[in-house]
Amino acid sequence: MTEPSSPQPLNRSLFDDPDCGGSPAQPIRVGGKWTAMVLRCLEDGTPRRFTELRVPLHWITPKVLTETLRAMERDGFLTRTVHDENPPRVEYALTALGRSLIEPLGTACDWARAHAPAITEARASYERASPVA
């Protein structure tokens, strides 16, 4: 019988590659908790106003939605267009970069739907085994 080999230690420079999340730009990061939902709201290509986005995202506070939209604009996922009207009209639309996330997002959603029962069971098992704080 052979001895199992020791695993290689993790390399200190594992995340030093700027193309793999090691830089402050973190190109792999896809926003925060609500980014995927905003992407879904804008995926049909129709520019939407803030109040329109609030309808399906009614449980998100206006402050958090504003922060999410700003972060998405900063990351290049959407554009913010201010129309010179009184009162000013602001619309949000996905950029080509933002639209490129729709297909991977769909794949992730398909995976989540397929594995939801296993995830739910794992969580329940964890909760049963974990001591109450």
Side-chain angles (χ1 to χ4, degrees):
M1 181 177 219
T2 61
E3 288 285 319
S5 61
S6 297
Q8 291 292 328
L10 291 174
N11 188 333
R12 179 176 173 83
S13 62
L14 182 64
F15 296 108
D16 286 352
D17 181 352
D19 293 332
C20 293
S23 75
Q26 296 183 2
I28 295 174
R29 184 195 71 189
V30 183
K33 182 176 182 178
W34 307 111
T35 300
M37 291 181 189
V38 173
L39 285 168
R40 284 286 186 220
C41 291
L42 296 172
E43 73 180 320
D44 71 355
T46 304
R48 303 287 181 176
R49 297 181 73 171
F50 186 88
T51 53
E52 291 178 280
L53 295 171
R54 290 273 300 137
V55 173
L57 302 172
H58 55 90
W59 57 86
I60 303 173
T61 66
K63 178 181 184 257
V64 171
L65 181 55
T66 297
E67 291 169 352
T68 300
L69 293 168
R70 285 181 183 158
M72 291 177 71
E73 181 181 13
R74 180 196 64 231
D75 289 345
F77 298 152
L78 59 76
T79 59
R80 178 180 183 269
T81 304
V82 179
H83 298 275
D84 189 22
E85 299 174 357
N86 193 9
R89 180 170 49 101
V90 178
E91 293 180 323
Y92 300 90
L94 291 181
T95 62
L97 183 61
R99 284 190 303 279
S100 74
L101 288 168
I102 298 299
E103 186 176 340
L105 177 60
T107 301
C109 289
D110 291 343
W111 181 91
R113 277 190 288 277
H115 294 88
I119 294 167
T120 301
E121 177 51 38
R123 287 177 179 170
S125 177
Y126 179 86
E127 292 299 322
R128 286 191 299 270
S130 296
V132 177

